[in-house]
Amino acid sequence: MAVLNVRTDEAMETAIEALAARHGNRTEVVRYALLKAYKDELLRQAEADAERLAADKDDQAEMLAIQRYMGVV
């Protein structure tokens, strides 16, 4: 497993300590925060992709053709 050193300021230390007191140790709190940030970023990207595809006339036509082929519409 890799090791990551991070410099923190006073506000970050306050946040880490408060979360660690309630949810485990400092390492677990930082791991959780990074994974949550990554998940949030993936969800934002998926939403942007969905909006882009919803506005794409060619994609809409292809989805309709697939639905017709499958007998959905």
Side-chain angles (χ1 to χ4, degrees), residues 15-26:
I16 292 170
E17 290 302 324
L19 291 169
R22 288 188 298 254
H23 302 289
N25 63 45
R26 294 168 58 89

Side-chain angles (χ1 to χ4, degrees), residues 3-68:
V3 175
L4 172 67
N5 293 312
V6 178
R7 296 184 194 278
T8 58
D9 59 14
E10 187 176 334
M12 185 65 65
E13 281 297 316
T14 299
I16 292 170
E17 290 302 324
L19 291 169
R22 288 188 298 254
H23 302 289
N25 63 45
R26 294 168 58 89
T27 298
E28 291 303 317
V29 167
V30 172
R31 283 181 184 155
Y32 173 80
L34 288 172
L35 289 173
K36 182 170 182 345
Y38 181 59
K39 176 186 165 192
D40 291 349
E41 182 62 26
L42 291 176
L43 289 173
R44 275 192 292 277
Q45 183 61 52
E47 288 172 357
D49 289 346
E51 288 176 13
R52 180 179 47 79
L53 291 172
D56 185 323
K57 299 293 183 193
D58 292 333
D59 191 62
Q60 290 174 3
E62 185 176 348
M63 287 188 294
L64 182 58
I66 291 169
Q67 289 173 344
R68 285 183 177 144

